[in-house]
């Protein structure tokens, strides 16, 4: 069994048995994939470790792609390893980060993964915690209700894929003959961004890239998160938030 869900942001209530009773028949060979904004590796603190231990003791394996709300400095400390045809980082033995630009073979189906996304609520800027007037600026921004983030505290440039990751993705899709069973991302391709926002959300290099993939690749379903809603577009594009849906 493979299920998928949307952004968890470090809160995993939805996986409690009361909300997800299907887990009664699942084993560690079954998966629940979080479509980005996992948020479970955020401050490295005691509570966070407890939450990760709680995920580890669930009857199934938790997989996630990155979103934009991840602590990419902390994530980078985990070594990468090969797993089911692609590269992963193991946060716990059964809590696994599916890296970008990979194709995994899971239960006889192929999954292309491309995490990342552009933060929307940062139009007033990114503050550097190392600048001399950081506190002055920070308190002023807070006082006027500015929409901003702090570099390496609440925003990381790695929220967007690097040029190397785009190249790798092209390469792996080329090797797969531009055909996979499922696509797992955090962000959506341009066409879907238009549909879900009525033209209100802009494009960025990642949504452009995903649009290219959308036009070239053959796939059954494309599952993504980021936009905090549960909706299906054109039968095969599945936007997930707190719902957990069966994929396989
Ligand atoms: Fe999110």
């Amino acid at each position: 069994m493979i299920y998928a869900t949307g952004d968890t942001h470090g809160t995993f209530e939805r996986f409690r048995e009361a909300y997800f009773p299907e887990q009664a028949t699942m084993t560690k060979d079954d998966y629940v994939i979080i479509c980005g904004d996992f948020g479970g590796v955020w401050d490295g603190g005691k509570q966070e470790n407890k939450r990760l231990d709680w995920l580890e003791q669930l009857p199934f394996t938790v997989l996630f792609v990155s979103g934009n709300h991840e602590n990419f400095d902390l994530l980078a400390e985990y070594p990468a390893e090969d797993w089911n045809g692609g590269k992963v980082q193991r946060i716990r033995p059964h809590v696994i980060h599916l890296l970008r630009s990979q194709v995994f073979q899971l239960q006889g189906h192929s999954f292309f993964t491309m995490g990342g996304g552009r933060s929307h609520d940062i139009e007033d800027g990114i503050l550097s915690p190392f600048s001399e007037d950081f506190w002055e600026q920070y308190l002023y921004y807070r006082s006027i209700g500015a929409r901003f983030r702090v570099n390496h505290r609440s925003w990381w440039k790695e929220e967007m894929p690097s040029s190397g990751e785009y190249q790798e993705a092209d390469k792996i899709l080329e090797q797969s003959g531009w055909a996979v069973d499922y696509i797992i991302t955090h962000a959506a391709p341009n066409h879907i961004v238009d549909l879900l926002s009525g033209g209100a959300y802009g494009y960025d290099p990642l949504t452009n890239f995903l649009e290219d993939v959308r036009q070239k690749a053959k796939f059954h379903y494309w599952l993504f998160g980021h936009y905090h809603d549960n909706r299906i577009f054109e039968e095969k594009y599945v936007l997930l938030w707190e719902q957990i849906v069966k994929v396989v």
Side-chain angles (χ1 to χ4, degrees):
M1 280 174 271
I2 302 179
Y3 286 84
T5 187
D7 307 24
T8 46
H9 294 284
T11 303
F12 305 107
E13 286 287 294
R14 76 189 68 174
F15 299 140
R16 282 172 48 189
E17 220 173 338
Y19 304 125
F20 184 44
E22 292 86 343
Q23 66 190 280
T25 57
M26 292 173 84
T27 73
K28 287 293 193 194
D29 293 328
D30 297 311
Y31 306 110
V32 176
I33 307 174
I34 299 165
C35 297
D37 280 4
F38 167 65
V41 178
W42 187 256
D43 60 18
K46 239 185 184 168
Q47 288 305 318
E48 178 167 295
N49 272 297
K50 266 194 189 161
R51 280 194 291 273
L52 289 168
D53 291 341
W54 183 79
L55 288 178
E56 174 62 25
Q57 59 76 47
L58 290 167
F60 51 88
T61 294
V62 175
L63 307 177
F64 67 96
V65 297
S66 61
N68 50 308
H69 286 129
E70 316 288 359
N71 184 332
F72 288 98
D73 293 328
L74 278 185
L75 271 181
E77 292 175 11
Y78 293 86
E81 61 180 271
D82 293 322
W83 183 81
N84 288 318
K87 293 236 178 303
V88 300
Q89 292 169 309
R90 260 181 222 270
I91 311 304
R92 290 287 185 276
H94 300 92
V95 179
I96 297 173
H97 177 201
L98 306 175
L99 292 178
R100 296 170 182 165
S101 324
Q102 310 295 314
V103 172
F104 296 93
Q105 301 295 331
L106 302 177
Q107 301 185 356
H109 303 273
S110 55
F111 289 76
F112 169 65
T113 56
M114 193 72 185
R118 174 163 279 176
S119 294
H120 294 300
D121 49 349
I122 56 169
E123 58 272 24
D124 293 317
I126 305 294
L127 299 185
S128 165
F130 308 114
S131 70
E132 264 178 36
D133 58 348
F134 169 72
W135 281 107
E136 200 181 315
Q137 259 190 317
Y138 179 81
L139 293 170
Y140 171 66
Y141 269 25
R142 285 288 295 263
S143 73
I144 61 166
R147 283 154 65 89
F148 71 104
R149 299 273 182 83
V150 179
N151 198 12
H152 296 287
R153 298 285 186 278
S154 55
W155 182 85
W156 290 261
K157 70 174 184 326
E158 291 83 4
E159 67 174 20
M160 290 292 278
S162 64
S163 54
E165 285 173 320
Y166 289 125
Q167 282 168 17
E168 272 301 301
D170 269 330
K171 206 169 99 189
I172 194 84
L173 284 168
E174 192 72 50
Q175 283 167 10
S176 308
W178 290 89
V180 290
D181 295 316
Y182 301 96
I183 294 179
I184 307 286
T185 62
H186 184 56
N190 289 344
H191 173 62
I192 303 301
V193 170
D194 284 342
L195 291 182
L196 68 88
S197 73
Y201 295 165
Y203 304 154
D204 59 53
L206 178 54
T207 64
N208 290 339
F209 172 81
L210 296 175
E211 179 60 26
D212 203 40
V213 172
R214 190 184 80 83
Q215 292 183 20
K216 276 193 189 155
K218 290 206 175 0
F219 56 91
H220 299 314
Y221 286 101
W222 184 320
L223 299 117
F224 61 105
H226 194 34
Y227 308 94
H228 294 191
D229 203 352
N230 300 289
R231 285 170 73 184
I232 297 178
F233 300 90
E234 297 181 350
E235 289 173 19
K236 56 201 293 189
Y237 301 90
V238 183
L239 165 57
L240 291 169
W241 190 9
E242 78 284 351
Q243 276 184 12
I244 305 177
V245 299
K246 193 156 197 281
V247 180
V248 174

